[in-house]
Amino acid sequence: MYPAELVKPMREDLTSVGFEELHTAEAVDAALAKKGTTLVVVNSVCGCAAANARPGAKISLQNDKKPDHIVTVFAGVDKEAVDAARAQMIPFPPSSPSMALFKDGELVHMLERHHIEGRPAELIAENLVDAYNEHC
């Protein structure tokens, strides 16, 4: 588990633009039970989260169509919440960072770490925007 002071700015990178942090399995279940679309970002301390994933997620929210709900769990910190979120992302293997779009509780789009690592934030945002335009 990472120290709270280490991950605080990484958490705030998403919460400052409206992402709700989920810390428990119950919170994840409640978020995914909501009607409409929900983007789940599995946040991470790795460099590709800082350079690609978080900026890409934030840029994607500038689109006209966007998810009804935006939430985040933090790998290596919120174990229970991350495990619950990943359980809903099956058949995709656990990876962080990662992003999943759900519609009425059903997984409709997934970005795994290998889709994020080494790709510019703008490309990640474009991928998410395409999913928003289709599902939101």
Side-chain angles (χ1 to χ4, degrees), residues 48 50-57 59 99 111 114-128:
C48 64
N52 312 91
R54 292 191 299 266
I59 293 167
M99 302 179 205
L111 276 173
H114 70 88
H115 298 120
I116 296 168
E117 193 172 27
R119 290 182 171 77
E122 294 78 13
L123 188 59
I124 293 160
E126 183 180 312
N127 182 295
L128 290 171

Side-chain angles (χ1 to χ4, degrees), residues 20 27 29-38 69 71 102-105:
E20 176 189 358
D29 292 343
L32 295 181
K34 291 179 181 177
K35 286 285 186 194
T37 51
T38 303
H69 315 283
V71 301
F102 293 85
K103 184 171 186 175
D104 297 328

Side-chain angles (χ1 to χ4, degrees), residues 9-130:
M10 298 172 207
R11 288 180 182 275
E12 290 172 350
D13 197 13
L14 292 177
T15 60
S16 68
V17 297
F19 279 84
E20 176 189 358
E21 286 186 297
L22 306 178
H23 303 286
T24 66
E26 293 80 16
V28 170
D29 292 343
L32 295 181
K34 291 179 181 177
K35 286 285 186 194
T37 51
T38 303
L39 177 66
V40 179
V41 174
V42 179
N43 203 348
S44 172
V45 299
C46 72
C48 64
N52 312 91
R54 292 191 299 266
K58 292 188 302 185
I59 293 167
S60 76
L61 298 177
Q62 296 171 12
N63 192 48
D64 289 338
K65 288 186 176 184
K66 54 190 157 209
D68 299 307
H69 315 283
I70 52 175
V71 301
T72 181
V73 296
F74 208 110
V77 178
D78 301 318
K79 182 175 177 5
E80 181 185 332
V82 171
D83 288 349
R86 286 177 172 163
Q88 299 301 317
M89 296 173 189
I90 292 173
F92 298 96
S95 67
S96 57
S98 61
M99 302 179 205
L101 183 65
F102 293 85
K103 184 171 186 175
D104 297 328
E106 180 183 334
L107 179 64
V108 293
H109 188 75
M110 184 76 191
L111 276 173
E112 298 174 84
R113 179 185 176 105
H114 70 88
H115 298 120
I116 296 168
E117 193 172 27
R119 290 182 171 77
E122 294 78 13
L123 188 59
I124 293 160
E126 183 180 312
N127 182 295
L128 290 171
V129 163
D130 287 346

